[in-house]
């Protein structure tokens, strides 16, 4: 390690070698000592080829694979997240449609029931009215007939009463036809 | 005075072999290059694989994403072909720069031959890939579209000169920044010890260079990152020319 490569070749005393090299224009300046060049080039070639082989065959594929794997896993996770998000959105949409149809059906059922109930109650009402009207009519007929009967009875009684009164006053029974005509005329005036 | 150049000396640890007459030595620089490689490998391979990263894993992934984004923004997604190369360059320069800031260490990129070799690697990659990918259409790089025919020859000459000076500017920028930063640090740090040796007044006076040394260390940390980043982004821009030659 003590021996200085490059200057060792000269084999001269160090002092004089330095003085000599100064004159030669930078010969003593280590980076410009041409004797060292072959050694350095050989070392560099060995070192750099070794480095290139290590880097290209092992190191870069390894680091690249790790980075790729990470990127893939991130992409995969993002895709999964997106898929799950889509799924939840689809589920949400399905739920909303379900809810909307259920609501529509409920409304339809409600409306139908309401209509049915209204129709049946209307029919009942009508039937009731009809029966009431029929009963009313029957009652009116019965009243009318009763009244007619009563009226005809009244006529008979009135005729009898009139003929009796006339007989009492005049002592002689009037003709039945005259009494009836007088009673009819009198009833016509009051009726 | 402590020699500020001393830190750039290469010390031979052992001899690997010979190429012709030239001795190939394992030097300080070699050791720090390997240290950088070992540190990067340990960091990259030691990081966990957790889905939610820890601190250490985050740093590694940050570096990965940072370099990947730099390539994508300046060379397009097609530039990812060169991801391993650009990542290796960035991490190698960045880690060796950061290690170099620790006192008593050596900075690999403070030697022009290292930065030049790296720049040349990028330059040759651009040329070879450019011709491989685009064939002769690669020459479009030197012929910008929408230029009047009169000044076109001049522009082509300028484009060619600028293309071939790329490895120089690419390498010298990094080298000079690291070298100058470390020399400055060493000079200010040596003022501290020099003034400190001059008794009480000197010790009080030494506070100024000490503060500056601390501040410069912070600056150098930034420069270490910035220069690695600049080297990387220029690499990406040059590679973009190879991928899409038409301006």
């Amino acid at each position: 390690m003590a021996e200085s490569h490059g200057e060792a070749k000269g084999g001269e005393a160090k002092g004089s070698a330095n003085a000599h090299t100064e004159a030669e224009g930078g010969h003593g300046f280590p980076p410009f000592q041409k004797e060292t060049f072959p050694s350095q080039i050989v070392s560099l070639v060995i070192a750099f080829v070794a480095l290139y082989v290590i880097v290209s065959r092992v190191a870069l594929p390894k680091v690249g694979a790790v980075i790729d794997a990470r990127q893939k896993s991130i992409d995969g996770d993002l895709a999964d997240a997106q898929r799950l998000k889509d799924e939840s959105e689809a589920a949400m949409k399905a739920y909303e449609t379900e809810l909307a149809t259920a609501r529509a059906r409920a409304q339809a059922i409600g409306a139908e029931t309401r209509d049915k109930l209204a129709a049946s109650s209307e029919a009942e009402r009508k039937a009731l009215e009809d029966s009431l009207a029929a009963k009313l009519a029957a009652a009116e007929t019965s009243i009318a007939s009763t009244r007619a009967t009563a009226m005809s009875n009244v006529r008979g009684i009135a005729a009898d009463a009139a003929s009796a009164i006339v007989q009492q006053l005049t002592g002689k029974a009037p003709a039945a036809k005259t009494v009836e005509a007088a009673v009819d005329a009198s009833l016509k005036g009051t009726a | 005075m402590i020699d500020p150049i001393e830190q750039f000396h290469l010390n031979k640890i052992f001899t690997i072999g010979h190429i012709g007459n030239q001795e190939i030595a394992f030097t300080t620089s070699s050791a720090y290059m390997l240290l950088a490689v070992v540190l990067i490998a340990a960091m990259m391979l030691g990081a966990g694989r957790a889905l939610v990263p820890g601190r250490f894993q985050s740093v590694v992934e940050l570096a990965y994403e940072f370099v990947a984004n730099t390539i994508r923004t300046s060379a397009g997604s097609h530039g990812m072909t060169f991801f391993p190369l650009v990542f290796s360059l960035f991490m190698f320069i960045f880690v060796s720069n950061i290690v170099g800031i620790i006192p008593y260490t050596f900075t690999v990129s403070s030697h022009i031959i290292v930065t030049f070799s790296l720049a040349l690697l990028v330059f040759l990659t651009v040329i070879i890939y450019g011709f491989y990918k685009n064939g002769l259409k690669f020459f479009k790089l030197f012929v910008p579209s929408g230029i009047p025919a009169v000044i076109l020859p001049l522009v082509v000459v300028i484009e060619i000169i600028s293309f071939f000076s790329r490895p120089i500017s690419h390498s010298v920028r990094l080298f000079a920044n690291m070298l100058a930063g470390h020399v400055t640090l060493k000079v200010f740090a040596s003022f501290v010890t020099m003034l400190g040796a001059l008794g009480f007044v000197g010790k009080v006076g030494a506070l100024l260079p000490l503060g500056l040394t601390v501040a410069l260390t912070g600056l150098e940390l930034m420069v270490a990152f910035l220069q690695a980043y600049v080297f990387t982004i220029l690499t990406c821009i040059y590679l973009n020319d190879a991928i899409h030659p038409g301006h």
Side-chain angles (χ1 to χ4, degrees), chain A residues 1 3 5 7 29-31 35-36 38-40 43-44 47-48 51-52 56 58-59 62-64 66-67 70, chain B residues 5 8-12 22-23 25 29-30 37 44-45 47 49-51 57 61 64 85 111-114 117:
Chain A
M1 193 132 184
E3 193 181 359
H5 184 56
E7 274 177 30
F29 186 56
E35 310 84 58
T36 68
S39 297
Q40 291 204 68
S43 309
L44 181 66
F48 199 75
L51 178 66
Y52 185 84
S56 63
V58 194
K62 183 196 145 195
V63 176
V66 172
I67 291 173
R70 176 176 310 127
Chain B
I5 301 301
F8 303 114
H9 271 292
L10 289 176
N11 293 314
K12 186 173 82 177
Q22 180 64 51
E23 180 192 26
S29 178
S30 319
V37 173
M44 298 296 293
L45 303 181
R49 293 163 172 273
L51 186 64
Q57 195 186 339
E61 284 173 9
Y64 181 101
L85 175 70
H111 275 250
I112 181 84
I113 189 65
V114 173
S117 300

Side-chain angles (χ1 to χ4, degrees), chain B residues 149-172:
Chain B
V150 187
I151 58 163
L152 194 61
L154 184 66
V155 172
V156 168
V157 168
I158 292 171
E159 287 286 335
I160 290 171
I161 293 171
S162 89
F163 183 79
F164 283 96
S165 60
R166 273 174 184 182
I168 298 165
S169 65
H170 201 188
S171 58
V172 168

Side-chain angles (χ1 to χ4, degrees), chain A residues 67-79, chain B residues 51:
Chain A
I67 291 173
D68 279 355
R70 176 176 310 127
Q71 192 57 47
K72 237 170 239 154
S73 128
I74 289 170
D75 288 347
D77 286 357
L78 282 178
Chain B
L51 186 64

Side-chain angles (χ1 to χ4, degrees), chain A residues 46-61:
Chain A
I46 293 168
F48 199 75
V49 166
L51 178 66
Y52 185 84
V53 169
I54 292 167
V55 160
S56 63
R57 298 258 172 257
V58 194
L60 290 186

Side-chain angles (χ1 to χ4, degrees), chain A residues 70-133:
Chain A
R70 176 176 310 127
Q71 192 57 47
K72 237 170 239 154
S73 128
I74 289 170
D75 288 347
D77 286 357
L78 282 178
D80 277 355
Q82 186 60 43
R83 190 174 49 76
L84 290 173
K85 192 175 165 235
D86 289 350
E87 268 174 23
S88 74
E89 263 168 17
M92 188 69 195
K93 202 161 263 175
Y95 161 76
E96 267 166 12
T97 8
E98 198 92 326
L99 196 68
T101 47
R103 195 172 288 143
R105 207 182 311 137
Q107 258 166 4
I109 289 169
E112 201 184 318
T113 316
R114 200 182 312 121
D115 287 354
K116 213 187 281 169
L117 285 176
S120 81
S121 75
E122 181 72 12
E124 255 168 48
R125 197 173 60 82
K126 201 154 214 169
L128 197 62
E129 267 176 10
D130 285 354
S131 83
L132 285 177

